[in-house]
Amino acid sequence: FLQCDGIEFSLINSIGKAVGARTFGLLMNNGGTVCDDAFSTNSADAICRKMGYLGGFKWTSGEKWPIQASFEITLDDVLCSNGEWSSCSFKSTSDCFHSEDVFLQCDGEWSSCSFSTTHNCAHSEDVFLQCDGIVDGGYSDFGEWSVCSALCEGGTQTRTRTCTQPAPAHGGADCVGEASESKTCNEDETCPEFSLVDLNGNAVGAGVLGLLMNNGGKVCDDDFSTNSADAICRKMGYLGHTAGHLQWTSGDKWTIQSSLEITLDDVLCSSGEWSSCSFSTTHNCGHSEDVFLQCNGIERCGLENQGRNRV
């Protein structure tokens, strides 16, 4: 601390502990914060020097920590014509908000030191030094966004950062702010809605081989598999355990195919559940790759009892 003309300065961290050189701190004056009106590099240098440091390293302002709200703003309009406090003017009243509070980082503590640039030493007298001081935590940059949690109609992506730039040390404060953030993704992608039709475009149910439709178009067989067939049949509500489908094939079989667009491709499923599937709404297919599918069992909802067999 330094007392000068009734002005006492200090730097604190997010929990109110004093910090020293090369650590960003909230600039305090007589128990209150300092407003950034008229504040400049000269102001930062002058205040750091009056606290016994070499000068200002950098400064900023803002409402960064909850602790700010508990303080009054006790100094404003710190206008300095050079880096010495004697050149400064200020006001002890303010028209400021905590979004204008000054944060300051000072450079070194050197003003009390003397030294010589000549020596009479040997290397056995070389100094090894480990510094001990409060270090407040600082966040790293955010990492990459995660894969979207849903392929269509809205999912979530997250990314994280770590409190390692620097990590808190010697009683320093933890990082301020959230370690992760999220955003929505694939909101504009329409989820597939499947159906089966016959050669005239009429809906068919379980036990009947039909042309597989998706949102008014067809499905290409690229990456299509038994898992894909099971997953789609189950998504349409048909029963099935290890076999949600009876069979699937592909080809250019019916005249109706040429009048329909291909709207889904690369349906790749790691299991027989739709949640395991990925797909593409663009394609590089011809009608000879259109999928035909026959589902197993009765539909649980929608079509009633179509294709039900008894023995």
Side-chain angles (χ1 to χ4, degrees):
F1 299 99
L2 182 75
Q3 185 73 30
C4 178
D5 298 330
I7 303 298
E8 182 180 282
F9 293 111
S10 63
L11 296 171
I12 63 171
N13 64 18
S14 62
I15 58 175
K17 291 184 178 181
V19 298
R22 288 294 179 127
T23 302
F24 249 128
L26 176 64
L27 179 59
M28 301 294 291
N29 156 62
N30 296 339
T33 61
V34 178
C35 180
D36 66 0
D37 291 347
F39 207 90
S40 67
T41 300
N42 283 340
S43 310
D45 281 341
I47 290 173
C48 284
R49 285 173 181 148
K50 279 302 182 182
M51 287 192 287
Y53 300 107
L54 286 176
F57 186 67
K58 55 184 175 180
W59 73 274
T60 186
S61 60
E63 189 166 4
K64 303 175 184 295
W65 297 338
I67 197 174
Q68 293 173 245
S70 64
F71 298 120
E72 298 292 327
I73 300 171
T74 55
L75 204 67
D76 192 12
D77 296 320
V78 182
L79 180 63
C80 305
S81 60
N82 60 48
E84 300 299 328
W85 183 249
S86 58
S87 75
C88 301
S89 62
F90 55 86
K91 290 197 314 185
S92 56
T93 59
S94 79
D95 57 353
C96 303
F97 300 96
H98 285 300
S99 58
E100 300 170 87
D101 288 348
V102 171
F103 288 76
L104 180 59
Q105 186 175 5
C106 294
D107 192 7
E109 281 184 88
W110 191 251
S111 58
S112 64
C113 301
S114 62
F115 58 90
S116 172
T117 57
T118 61
H119 73 90
N120 58 355
C121 303
H123 286 302
S124 60
E125 299 171 85
D126 289 348
V127 173
F128 292 79
L129 179 64
Q130 180 177 3
C131 294
D132 185 11
I134 295 172
V135 179
D136 287 340
Y139 274 120
S140 66
D141 292 334
F142 277 104
E144 296 296 322
W145 287 105
S146 67
V147 175
C148 189
S149 63
L151 292 171
C152 52
E153 295 181 0
T156 302
Q157 287 178 288
T158 60
R159 62 179 183 174
T160 60
R161 56 183 178 173
T162 58
C163 190
T164 55
Q165 298 293 322
H170 310 300
D174 288 335
C175 290
V176 177
E178 299 299 326
S180 64
E181 62 181 12
S182 61
K183 66 177 182 178
T184 56
C185 48
N186 290 341
E187 293 175 280
D188 299 327
E189 294 292 334
T190 302
C191 283
E193 291 294 334
F194 296 108
S195 62
L196 297 171
V197 300
D198 64 16
L199 76 171
N200 296 312
N202 298 316
V204 297
V208 179
L209 186 68
L211 178 63
L212 179 59
M213 302 291 291
N214 159 62
N215 295 334
K218 299 169 304 174
V219 179
C220 179
D221 67 1
D222 291 346
D223 289 327
F224 208 88
S225 67
T226 297
N227 282 340
S228 311
D230 279 343
I232 290 172
C233 284
R234 287 176 177 141
K235 190 175 191 307
M236 287 192 287
Y238 294 104
L239 296 176
H241 180 52
T242 57
H245 80 289
L246 290 178
Q247 62 171 314
W248 77 272
T249 186
S250 61
D252 193 359
K253 302 175 184 294
W254 297 338
T255 304
I256 193 176
Q257 293 174 244
S258 61
S259 65
L260 300 169
E261 296 292 327
I262 298 170
T263 56
L264 205 67
D265 192 14
D266 300 319
V267 182
L268 179 64
C269 304
S270 60
S271 74
E273 299 299 329
W274 182 249
S275 58
S276 76
C277 301
S278 61
F279 57 85
S280 172
T281 55
T282 60
H283 73 90
N284 58 352
C285 304
H287 293 300
S288 60
E289 299 170 88
D290 291 347
V291 172
F292 289 78
L293 178 61
Q294 183 179 5
C295 292
N296 190 22
I298 62 172
E299 194 177 20
R300 291 190 289 249
C301 57
L303 297 173
E304 295 183 358
N305 300 328
Q306 293 195 39
R308 181 165 62 182
N309 298 318
R310 62 182 182 180
V311 293

